Amino acid sequence: MKPNLSFQQFIQRGQVIGMYRKYMRLTQRIADKTTRRETREWIRGDFDRYKHETDRKRIDVLLAQASRQYKELESGVFSMI
């Protein structure tokens, strides 16, 4: 049985899922299949590492960090095209 989430936890969960999907959509632009697979594995590993985090402030920090890293990855992917 899934635990009941507070409203803030529900919102944060949506933000995390949205960020994960954003990363995965970005990897579709990587032409090389091996690089795409390795990048997806790296992303999945990072998200899995923190999947049991419950501290709201820590989750906010992780989301901000993920947003910054996304921008860096995005600029790197565009240079690969």
Side-chain angles (χ1 to χ4, degrees), residues 29-58:
R29 300 178 188 168
I30 301 173
D32 181 60
K33 289 182 181 182
T34 303
T35 303
R36 183 182 322 128
R37 181 181 44 80
E38 290 171 353
T39 304
R40 286 183 174 186
E41 288 173 0
W42 167 70
I43 292 165
R44 177 65 189 223
D46 271 5
F47 276 82
D48 277 347
R49 185 176 324 140
Y50 298 107
K51 71 180 179 181
H52 296 294
E53 184 64 58
T54 57
D55 180 26
R56 291 185 339 202
K57 289 181 181 181
R58 177 75 174 135

Side-chain angles (χ1 to χ4, degrees), residues 20-32:
Y20 179 78
R21 289 178 178 164
K22 191 175 175 180
Y23 267 97
M24 289 299 153
R25 281 192 300 270
L26 181 63
T27 63
Q28 293 172 354
R29 300 178 188 168
I30 301 173
D32 181 60

